[in-house]
Amino acid sequence: MKITYNTVKNTKQLDKPNEDIIFCDLEKNIYILLDGVSRDNENGKYPNPSPALDTTQILVTEIYNNILLYDFKENNLSDIILNSIQKANDKVHLYNEDKNLPFDAGAVGIIAIIYNNYFYYAYIGDCFGRILYHNKIFVFTECQTKLVSQHKQEYTTYEIREVICNNIYHPCGYGVLNGDKRAINFVKTGKINLSNVEQIILTSDGMEDFISKCPINFLKSLDASKLLEAAVLNQNEKQDDRSIIKIEGVNFNK
């Protein structure tokens, strides 16, 4: 297999850090891509240190360390990922309790394991995952913020953050790992047989406007850094953080 990955800071605001995090364990085939939920400016400045970045760092550490506690041969890998996310989300709850922020810090993302020619994954929020076959692209994630984005003019910022977020019963509900136990209702898991798969692409939402318009042969031809470079060149100013993991290989067996 060939694994490439890269991330680039947003162009929205100079003092806003890159709140995306990529983590790849190439030996154990564990892949984590997280996107911290942006904060509000405080007195005209972006909060430093960023609670969103703190949250992504807590999540990536806790999710990875919890996954390592399990024997892959004796457990359901989808359950391993889900349990690890749940424990990590509990750590975020403790962080938010301690900080007493205007609204809880959180993140969204995709966590995946490749094992025995299967791709096991879990996601929450608005990151994207693509499987590239010989002549087609399969997007295995759904953007959970699509409806709330379409109807955001109908709700206050408070309602979006405190009433709709992690509310599975709201028609515009979406998930964020912000320490709320209800977030687990929005974690979607699955597995994909890799027998006929050529490539896998995981991205944060900052890449989606570009990636969604790319033909399959173009996506196949470039590694993660080149795709990110192309996205930067083709997109307008004031873009979000952009991150990508690309996994290539005819034989995914481990």
Side-chain angles (χ1 to χ4, degrees):
M1 285 191 300
K2 177 184 176 183
I3 316 296
T4 56
Y5 50 91
N6 208 343
T7 183
V8 65
K9 178 189 174 301
N10 68 88
T11 54
K12 288 183 175 180
Q13 194 172 328
L14 285 176
D15 62 348
K16 185 179 187 295
N18 188 343
E19 294 163 337
D20 286 3
I21 283 185
I22 291 173
F23 179 86
C24 300
D25 182 333
L26 305 186
E27 181 180 348
K28 295 185 179 298
N29 272 327
I30 300 170
Y31 305 95
I32 302 174
L33 189 155
L34 299 173
D35 178 358
V37 177
S38 296
R39 309 298 299 176
D40 294 335
N41 282 355
E42 297 174 3
N43 299 317
K45 296 182 179 180
Y46 201 80
N48 182 18
S50 163
L53 182 55
D54 288 346
T55 301
T56 56
Q57 291 170 338
I58 291 168
L59 287 168
V60 73
T61 300
E62 293 295 327
I63 290 171
Y64 176 68
N65 287 339
N66 279 297
I67 287 174
L68 294 183
L69 296 176
Y70 295 90
D71 184 341
F72 289 4
K73 294 180 181 179
E74 297 179 0
N75 292 275
N76 181 306
L77 268 67
S78 293
D79 289 343
I80 288 175
I81 299 172
L82 183 61
N83 291 338
S84 298
I85 291 172
Q86 190 164 10
K87 291 176 182 177
N89 190 51
D90 290 341
K91 292 289 186 178
V92 173
H93 173 73
L94 296 177
Y95 170 86
N96 280 318
E97 269 196 332
D98 181 61
K99 293 293 183 180
N100 192 29
L101 299 166
F103 66 98
D104 287 342
V108 298
I110 303 176
I111 298 88
I113 301 172
I114 293 176
Y115 186 74
N116 280 347
N117 208 43
Y118 275 90
F119 178 77
Y120 297 84
Y121 66 87
Y123 72 89
I124 183 172
D126 57 3
C127 288
F128 290 81
R130 286 175 165 80
I131 298 292
L132 275 59
Y133 295 95
H134 297 293
N135 57 2
K136 66 178 180 178
I137 301 171
F138 169 57
V139 182
F140 62 85
T141 55
E142 294 182 4
C143 180
Q144 296 179 354
T145 58
K146 182 178 179 179
L147 286 177
V148 74
S149 295
Q150 290 175 347
H151 297 277
K152 63 182 179 181
Q153 301 302 327
E154 302 170 24
Y155 303 105
T156 64
T157 299
Y158 175 85
E159 287 174 319
I160 291 172
R161 290 172 175 167
E162 305 295 340
V163 178
I164 300 174
C165 181
N166 291 326
N167 184 352
I168 198 72
Y169 300 107
H170 195 284
C172 294
Y174 65 97
V176 174
L177 297 173
N178 61 1
D180 186 339
K181 291 186 181 298
R182 300 177 303 163
I184 302 304
N185 294 329
F186 285 90
V187 178
K188 306 300 180 184
T189 64
K191 71 175 184 177
I192 297 170
N193 189 316
L194 295 175
S195 297
N196 297 312
V197 172
E198 290 187 345
Q199 299 180 8
I200 302 165
I201 298 177
L202 311 179
T203 55
S204 60
D205 66 322
M207 286 286 289
E208 184 59 16
D209 185 58
F210 173 75
I211 289 288
S212 63
K213 298 172 184 174
C214 293
I216 187 169
N217 289 336
F218 181 82
L219 289 177
K220 286 183 181 180
S221 66
L222 301 179
D223 66 15
S225 291
K226 291 295 184 182
L227 283 171
L228 186 56
E229 183 180 315
V232 171
L233 289 173
N234 282 275
Q235 290 181 321
N236 298 323
E237 294 181 0
K238 295 187 177 180
Q239 293 294 322
D240 199 359
D241 303 324
R242 285 159 286 189
S243 299
I244 179 171
I245 299 174
K246 191 177 189 194
I247 305 168
E248 306 176 56
V250 176
N251 183 5
F252 286 94
N253 286 292
K254 180 69 176 176

